Amino acid sequence: MPELAEVEVARRRLTDWTAQRRISAVDVHDTQRMTGDVAGLVGSRVAAWERHGKLLLGRLSGGAVLLSHLGMTGKWVADPAADRSHQRLVLRFVESEPSSVAFLDTRRFGFCRVVPAAEVPTDASVAALGPDAWEHPWTGAELADVVGRRSVVWKQALMEQGRIAGLGNIAVCEMGWRAGVHPHR
């Protein structure tokens, strides 16, 4: 599963590749992993890419948002070869380089979905997320409140995306190592 840092790198790359560019065509190669008003993307301009936890949000002109979750093996690449395997979605552009970006996902655990901007806060993928791990300045007391007094391992509690969005196994293991707390406590 990509960690929050990898998703942030993907957000920055997508911003570099697509910011303020107009989508000229959309190729959907996997209708189960790409849902929503895909045709409505054509002609839209990419306003910005945001990240909440491990979820990417592409804000588009015209009031649509492209939600993208990398799943376990998903990634965005620029100008893939036409015969590149595992392409799920390709966004094409007219002006400048790259001429396209594609969402590739070998194991098909990721997804892309077009959602009207007004519906983003109530979308199940967004509403289920807690505060972003990087955006919120966590204190020790707040982390203790998040874990709570439950009979669950602290590591498991911190990785629940509804509590803190974006923490994965590597980050949580590193936190425990630095704090000197056994992961099964």
Side-chain angles (χ1 to χ4, degrees):
M1 173 75 64
E3 293 279 337
L4 188 141
E6 285 99 6
V7 180
E8 176 62 18
V9 168
R11 184 199 67 77
R12 291 177 185 181
R13 284 186 179 155
L14 283 166
T15 298
D16 290 344
W17 294 334
T18 68
Q20 303 309 313
R21 298 191 57 208
R22 189 172 306 281
I23 299 171
S24 61
V26 179
D27 304 334
V28 178
H29 299 281
D30 187 342
T31 56
Q32 291 181 344
R33 309 312 307 157
M34 175 65 220
T35 58
D37 181 19
V38 178
L41 296 178
V42 176
S44 296
R45 194 170 288 278
V46 178
W49 283 94
E50 301 168 2
R51 180 196 50 73
H52 186 89
K54 297 180 183 183
L55 186 66
L56 293 165
L57 297 91
R59 302 243 175 225
L60 306 170
S61 65
V65 176
L66 177 61
L67 300 178
S68 175
H69 194 288
L70 302 178
M72 289 185 72
T73 58
K75 61 184 172 184
W76 284 92
V77 298
D79 285 333
D83 61 348
R84 175 106 185 237
S85 59
H86 310 297
Q87 292 186 51
R88 307 296 171 204
L89 171 72
V90 180
L91 303 177
R92 300 195 183 282
F93 304 94
V94 183
E95 70 275 353
S96 72
E97 296 296 321
S99 61
S100 66
V101 294
F103 178 66
L104 282 64
D105 190 11
T106 309
R107 297 188 64 196
R108 299 183 71 229
F109 291 128
F111 67 83
C112 292
R113 180 169 56 249
V114 180
V115 177
E119 296 176 18
V120 168
T122 58
D123 182 84
S125 299
V126 177
L129 297 175
D132 187 86
W134 277 2
E135 299 296 321
H136 184 82
W138 297 93
T139 65
E142 288 175 320
L143 286 174
D145 285 344
V146 167
V147 173
R149 299 204 181 278
R150 304 176 334 157
S151 60
V152 67
V153 177
W154 69 269
K155 177 183 167 189
Q156 196 174 13
L158 286 177
M159 287 176 39
E160 290 176 11
Q161 300 302 297
R163 294 176 179 276
I164 300 177
L167 291 182
N169 188 50
I170 295 171
V172 173
C173 285
E174 184 65 26
M175 289 168 57
W177 175 260
R178 289 183 182 194
V181 180
H182 194 278
H184 295 177
R185 185 171 174 196

Short mmCIF file of all heavy atoms in Angstrom, two decimals, residues 16-55:
data_model
loop_
_atom_site.label_atom_id
_atom_site.label_comp_id
_atom_site.label_asym_id
_atom_site.label_seq_id
_atom_site.Cartn_x
_atom_site.Cartn_y
_atom_site.Cartn_z
N ASP A 16 2.50 19.21 -11.30
CA ASP A 16 3.49 19.64 -12.30
C ASP A 16 3.05 19.30 -13.72
O ASP A 16 3.23 20.07 -14.64
CB ASP A 16 4.85 18.98 -12.04
CG ASP A 16 5.54 19.51 -10.80
OD1 ASP A 16 5.14 20.59 -10.29
OD2 ASP A 16 6.49 18.86 -10.33
N TRP A 17 2.47 18.12 -13.90
CA TRP A 17 2.11 17.64 -15.22
C TRP A 17 0.82 18.27 -15.75
O TRP A 17 0.67 18.42 -16.96
CB TRP A 17 1.92 16.13 -15.22
CG TRP A 17 3.15 15.33 -14.95
CD1 TRP A 17 4.45 15.68 -15.19
CD2 TRP A 17 3.20 14.01 -14.41
NE1 TRP A 17 5.30 14.68 -14.82
CE2 TRP A 17 4.56 13.64 -14.33
CE3 TRP A 17 2.23 13.12 -13.96
CZ2 TRP A 17 4.97 12.40 -13.84
CZ3 TRP A 17 2.63 11.89 -13.47
CH2 TRP A 17 3.99 11.53 -13.42
N THR A 18 -0.14 18.58 -14.87
CA THR A 18 -1.49 18.90 -15.36
C THR A 18 -2.05 20.25 -14.94
O THR A 18 -3.10 20.64 -15.46
CB THR A 18 -2.49 17.82 -14.91
OG1 THR A 18 -2.65 17.88 -13.48
CG2 THR A 18 -2.04 16.43 -15.32
N ALA A 19 -1.43 20.97 -14.01
CA ALA A 19 -2.02 22.20 -13.49
C ALA A 19 -2.32 23.20 -14.60
O ALA A 19 -1.48 23.46 -15.46
CB ALA A 19 -1.11 22.83 -12.45
N GLN A 20 -3.55 23.68 -14.58
CA GLN A 20 -4.05 24.69 -15.53
C GLN A 20 -4.12 24.19 -16.97
O GLN A 20 -4.21 24.99 -17.89
CB GLN A 20 -3.24 25.98 -15.43
CG GLN A 20 -3.20 26.58 -14.05
CD GLN A 20 -4.60 26.72 -13.44
OE1 GLN A 20 -5.53 27.21 -14.06
NE2 GLN A 20 -4.76 26.27 -12.20
N ARG A 21 -4.09 22.91 -17.17
CA ARG A 21 -4.18 22.35 -18.52
C ARG A 21 -5.59 21.84 -18.78
O ARG A 21 -6.27 21.36 -17.89
CB ARG A 21 -3.16 21.22 -18.68
CG ARG A 21 -1.74 21.79 -18.50
CD ARG A 21 -0.65 20.88 -18.86
NE ARG A 21 -0.77 20.41 -20.23
CZ ARG A 21 -0.28 19.23 -20.61
NH1 ARG A 21 0.32 18.44 -19.77
NH2 ARG A 21 -0.41 18.85 -21.87
N ARG A 22 -6.00 21.92 -20.03
CA ARG A 22 -7.34 21.52 -20.43
C ARG A 22 -7.32 20.06 -20.90
O ARG A 22 -6.49 19.67 -21.71
CB ARG A 22 -7.86 22.43 -21.54
CG ARG A 22 -9.33 22.21 -21.87
CD ARG A 22 -9.87 23.24 -22.83
NE ARG A 22 -9.67 24.62 -22.42
CZ ARG A 22 -10.40 25.27 -21.51
NH1 ARG A 22 -11.38 24.63 -20.90
NH2 ARG A 22 -10.16 26.52 -21.22
N ILE A 23 -8.28 19.29 -20.39
CA ILE A 23 -8.41 17.88 -20.78
C ILE A 23 -9.11 17.82 -22.14
O ILE A 23 -10.23 18.32 -22.30
CB ILE A 23 -9.21 17.09 -19.72
CG1 ILE A 23 -8.48 17.14 -18.37
CG2 ILE A 23 -9.44 15.66 -20.18
CD1 ILE A 23 -9.29 16.59 -17.21
N SER A 24 -8.44 17.21 -23.10
CA SER A 24 -9.02 17.12 -24.46
C SER A 24 -9.73 15.80 -24.71
O SER A 24 -10.62 15.72 -25.56
CB SER A 24 -7.93 17.32 -25.51
OG SER A 24 -6.95 16.30 -25.40
N ALA A 25 -9.35 14.76 -23.99
CA ALA A 25 -9.98 13.44 -24.15
C ALA A 25 -9.73 12.60 -22.91
O ALA A 25 -8.74 12.82 -22.19
CB ALA A 25 -9.43 12.73 -25.39
N VAL A 26 -10.62 11.66 -22.69
CA VAL A 26 -10.49 10.73 -21.56
C VAL A 26 -10.70 9.33 -22.10
O VAL A 26 -11.69 9.05 -22.76
CB VAL A 26 -11.52 11.02 -20.45
CG1 VAL A 26 -11.39 10.03 -19.31
CG2 VAL A 26 -11.40 12.45 -19.95
N ASP A 27 -9.74 8.45 -21.83
CA ASP A 27 -9.85 7.05 -22.23
C ASP A 27 -10.05 6.22 -20.97
O ASP A 27 -9.18 6.24 -20.08
CB ASP A 27 -8.59 6.56 -22.95
CG ASP A 27 -8.24 7.40 -24.15
OD1 ASP A 27 -9.14 8.01 -24.75
OD2 ASP A 27 -7.04 7.46 -24.50
N VAL A 28 -11.15 5.51 -20.89
CA VAL A 28 -11.43 4.64 -19.75
C VAL A 28 -11.22 3.21 -20.21
O VAL A 28 -11.92 2.73 -21.09
CB VAL A 28 -12.86 4.84 -19.22
CG1 VAL A 28 -13.14 3.88 -18.07
CG2 VAL A 28 -13.06 6.28 -18.78
N HIS A 29 -10.26 2.54 -19.60
CA HIS A 29 -9.96 1.15 -19.95
C HIS A 29 -10.54 0.16 -18.94
O HIS A 29 -10.45 -1.04 -19.17
CB HIS A 29 -8.45 0.94 -20.05
CG HIS A 29 -7.80 1.80 -21.09
ND1 HIS A 29 -7.84 1.51 -22.43
CD2 HIS A 29 -7.12 2.97 -20.98
CE1 HIS A 29 -7.19 2.44 -23.11
NE2 HIS A 29 -6.75 3.34 -22.25
N ASP A 30 -11.08 0.67 -17.85
CA ASP A 30 -11.61 -0.21 -16.80
C ASP A 30 -12.80 0.50 -16.15
O ASP A 30 -12.61 1.32 -15.25
CB ASP A 30 -10.53 -0.51 -15.77
CG ASP A 30 -10.95 -1.54 -14.75
OD1 ASP A 30 -12.16 -1.79 -14.60
OD2 ASP A 30 -10.06 -2.09 -14.07
N THR A 31 -13.99 0.19 -16.60
CA THR A 31 -15.18 0.89 -16.11
C THR A 31 -15.53 0.52 -14.66
O THR A 31 -16.30 1.23 -14.02
CB THR A 31 -16.40 0.61 -17.00
OG1 THR A 31 -16.60 -0.81 -17.08
CG2 THR A 31 -16.19 1.18 -18.39
N GLN A 32 -14.97 -0.55 -14.14
CA GLN A 32 -15.21 -0.90 -12.74
C GLN A 32 -14.35 -0.06 -11.80
O GLN A 32 -14.71 0.15 -10.65
CB GLN A 32 -14.94 -2.38 -12.50
CG GLN A 32 -15.95 -3.28 -13.17
CD GLN A 32 -15.66 -4.74 -12.90
OE1 GLN A 32 -14.58 -5.12 -12.47
NE2 GLN A 32 -16.66 -5.58 -13.15
N ARG A 33 -13.21 0.41 -12.27
CA ARG A 33 -12.30 1.20 -11.44
C ARG A 33 -12.43 2.69 -11.71
O ARG A 33 -11.77 3.49 -11.06
CB ARG A 33 -10.84 0.77 -11.65
CG ARG A 33 -10.54 -0.71 -11.55
CD ARG A 33 -11.10 -1.44 -10.34
NE ARG A 33 -10.79 -0.85 -9.07
CZ ARG A 33 -11.52 -1.05 -7.98
NH1 ARG A 33 -12.59 -1.78 -8.01
NH2 ARG A 33 -11.18 -0.50 -6.85
N MET A 34 -13.25 3.08 -12.67
CA MET A 34 -13.46 4.50 -13.02
C MET A 34 -14.94 4.74 -13.15
O MET A 34 -15.59 4.16 -14.02
CB MET A 34 -12.74 4.82 -14.33
CG MET A 34 -12.98 6.22 -14.85
SD MET A 34 -12.33 7.47 -13.76
CE MET A 34 -13.63 8.68 -13.84
N THR A 35 -15.51 5.55 -12.26
CA THR A 35 -16.94 5.80 -12.28
C THR A 35 -17.22 7.30 -12.26
O THR A 35 -16.34 8.11 -11.99
CB THR A 35 -17.63 5.13 -11.07
OG1 THR A 35 -17.04 5.62 -9.87
CG2 THR A 35 -17.49 3.61 -11.13
N GLY A 36 -18.45 7.65 -12.50
CA GLY A 36 -18.87 9.05 -12.51
C GLY A 36 -18.98 9.58 -13.92
O GLY A 36 -18.85 8.84 -14.90
N ASP A 37 -19.22 10.88 -14.03
CA ASP A 37 -19.42 11.54 -15.32
C ASP A 37 -18.09 11.79 -16.01
O ASP A 37 -17.56 12.90 -16.01
CB ASP A 37 -20.17 12.85 -15.12
CG ASP A 37 -20.45 13.57 -16.43
OD1 ASP A 37 -20.38 12.92 -17.49
OD2 ASP A 37 -20.71 14.78 -16.38
N VAL A 38 -17.54 10.75 -16.62
CA VAL A 38 -16.25 10.83 -17.29
C VAL A 38 -16.32 11.78 -18.48
O VAL A 38 -15.40 12.58 -18.71
CB VAL A 38 -15.78 9.43 -17.74
CG1 VAL A 38 -14.46 9.51 -18.47
CG2 VAL A 38 -15.67 8.51 -16.54
N ALA A 39 -17.40 11.74 -19.23
CA ALA A 39 -17.54 12.61 -20.40
C ALA A 39 -17.49 14.08 -20.00
O ALA A 39 -17.00 14.92 -20.76
CB ALA A 39 -18.85 12.31 -21.13
N GLY A 40 -17.94 14.39 -18.79
CA GLY A 40 -17.91 15.76 -18.29
C GLY A 40 -16.52 16.30 -18.04
O GLY A 40 -16.33 17.50 -17.87
N LEU A 41 -15.52 15.42 -18.01
CA LEU A 41 -14.14 15.88 -17.81
C LEU A 41 -13.57 16.57 -19.05
O LEU A 41 -12.72 17.45 -18.95
CB LEU A 41 -13.24 14.69 -17.45
CG LEU A 41 -13.51 13.97 -16.14
CD1 LEU A 41 -12.56 12.79 -15.99
CD2 LEU A 41 -13.41 14.91 -14.97
N VAL A 42 -14.04 16.15 -20.22
CA VAL A 42 -13.52 16.70 -21.47
C VAL A 42 -13.85 18.19 -21.54
O VAL A 42 -14.99 18.60 -21.34
CB VAL A 42 -14.08 15.95 -22.69
CG1 VAL A 42 -13.61 16.59 -23.99
CG2 VAL A 42 -13.69 14.48 -22.63
N GLY A 43 -12.84 18.99 -21.79
CA GLY A 43 -12.98 20.44 -21.84
C GLY A 43 -12.70 21.12 -20.52
O GLY A 43 -12.54 22.33 -20.46
N SER A 44 -12.66 20.34 -19.43
CA SER A 44 -12.35 20.91 -18.12
C SER A 44 -10.87 21.24 -18.01
O SER A 44 -10.03 20.59 -18.63
CB SER A 44 -12.71 19.93 -17.01
OG SER A 44 -14.08 19.69 -16.97
N ARG A 45 -10.58 22.21 -17.18
CA ARG A 45 -9.20 22.58 -16.89
C ARG A 45 -8.88 22.08 -15.48
O ARG A 45 -9.71 22.21 -14.58
CB ARG A 45 -9.03 24.09 -16.99
CG ARG A 45 -7.59 24.54 -17.05
CD ARG A 45 -7.47 26.02 -17.38
NE ARG A 45 -7.80 26.36 -18.75
CZ ARG A 45 -6.98 26.24 -19.79
NH1 ARG A 45 -5.77 25.76 -19.61
NH2 ARG A 45 -7.37 26.59 -20.99
N VAL A 46 -7.69 21.54 -15.29
CA VAL A 46 -7.28 21.07 -13.97
C VAL A 46 -6.87 22.29 -13.15
O VAL A 46 -5.89 22.96 -13.46
CB VAL A 46 -6.10 20.07 -14.07
CG1 VAL A 46 -5.66 19.63 -12.69
CG2 VAL A 46 -6.47 18.89 -14.94
N ALA A 47 -7.63 22.59 -12.12
CA ALA A 47 -7.36 23.76 -11.28
C ALA A 47 -6.27 23.45 -10.25
O ALA A 47 -5.35 24.24 -10.06
CB ALA A 47 -8.63 24.22 -10.58
N ALA A 48 -6.37 22.30 -9.59
CA ALA A 48 -5.40 21.95 -8.54
C ALA A 48 -5.54 20.48 -8.17
O ALA A 48 -6.59 19.87 -8.39
CB ALA A 48 -5.64 22.81 -7.30
N TRP A 49 -4.47 19.95 -7.61
CA TRP A 49 -4.50 18.61 -7.02
C TRP A 49 -4.29 18.77 -5.53
O TRP A 49 -3.36 19.44 -5.09
CB TRP A 49 -3.42 17.70 -7.61
CG TRP A 49 -3.78 17.19 -8.96
CD1 TRP A 49 -3.43 17.73 -10.16
CD2 TRP A 49 -4.57 16.04 -9.25
NE1 TRP A 49 -3.96 16.99 -11.19
CE2 TRP A 49 -4.66 15.94 -10.65
CE3 TRP A 49 -5.21 15.08 -8.46
CZ2 TRP A 49 -5.37 14.92 -11.29
CZ3 TRP A 49 -5.91 14.06 -9.10
CH2 TRP A 49 -5.99 13.98 -10.49
N GLU A 50 -5.15 18.12 -4.75
CA GLU A 50 -5.05 18.13 -3.30
C GLU A 50 -4.91 16.69 -2.82
O GLU A 50 -5.13 15.75 -3.58
CB GLU A 50 -6.30 18.76 -2.68
CG GLU A 50 -6.54 20.19 -3.13
CD GLU A 50 -7.92 20.70 -2.74
OE1 GLU A 50 -8.69 19.96 -2.08
OE2 GLU A 50 -8.24 21.84 -3.11
N ARG A 51 -4.56 16.55 -1.55
CA ARG A 51 -4.45 15.23 -0.95
C ARG A 51 -5.07 15.28 0.43
O ARG A 51 -4.86 16.22 1.18
CB ARG A 51 -2.97 14.82 -0.83
CG ARG A 51 -2.76 13.45 -0.22
CD ARG A 51 -1.33 13.26 0.24
NE ARG A 51 -0.85 14.33 1.06
CZ ARG A 51 -1.21 14.56 2.32
NH1 ARG A 51 -2.07 13.78 2.93
NH2 ARG A 51 -0.71 15.58 2.98
N HIS A 52 -5.86 14.28 0.76
CA HIS A 52 -6.37 14.11 2.13
C HIS A 52 -6.07 12.67 2.50
O HIS A 52 -6.65 11.75 1.92
CB HIS A 52 -7.86 14.40 2.23
CG HIS A 52 -8.34 14.36 3.64
ND1 HIS A 52 -8.34 15.47 4.46
CD2 HIS A 52 -8.80 13.34 4.39
CE1 HIS A 52 -8.79 15.13 5.66
NE2 HIS A 52 -9.08 13.84 5.63
N GLY A 53 -5.16 12.49 3.44
CA GLY A 53 -4.70 11.15 3.75
C GLY A 53 -4.08 10.55 2.51
O GLY A 53 -3.20 11.13 1.89
N LYS A 54 -4.58 9.40 2.09
CA LYS A 54 -4.06 8.72 0.90
C LYS A 54 -4.96 8.91 -0.31
O LYS A 54 -4.83 8.22 -1.31
CB LYS A 54 -3.89 7.24 1.20
CG LYS A 54 -2.86 6.96 2.29
CD LYS A 54 -2.73 5.49 2.55
CE LYS A 54 -1.77 5.23 3.68
NZ LYS A 54 -1.57 3.79 3.90
N LEU A 55 -5.87 9.87 -0.24
CA LEU A 55 -6.81 10.14 -1.31
C LEU A 55 -6.38 11.39 -2.07
O LEU A 55 -6.11 12.43 -1.47
CB LEU A 55 -8.21 10.34 -0.73
CG LEU A 55 -9.36 10.50 -1.71
CD1 LEU A 55 -9.58 9.21 -2.50
CD2 LEU A 55 -10.64 10.86 -0.96
#
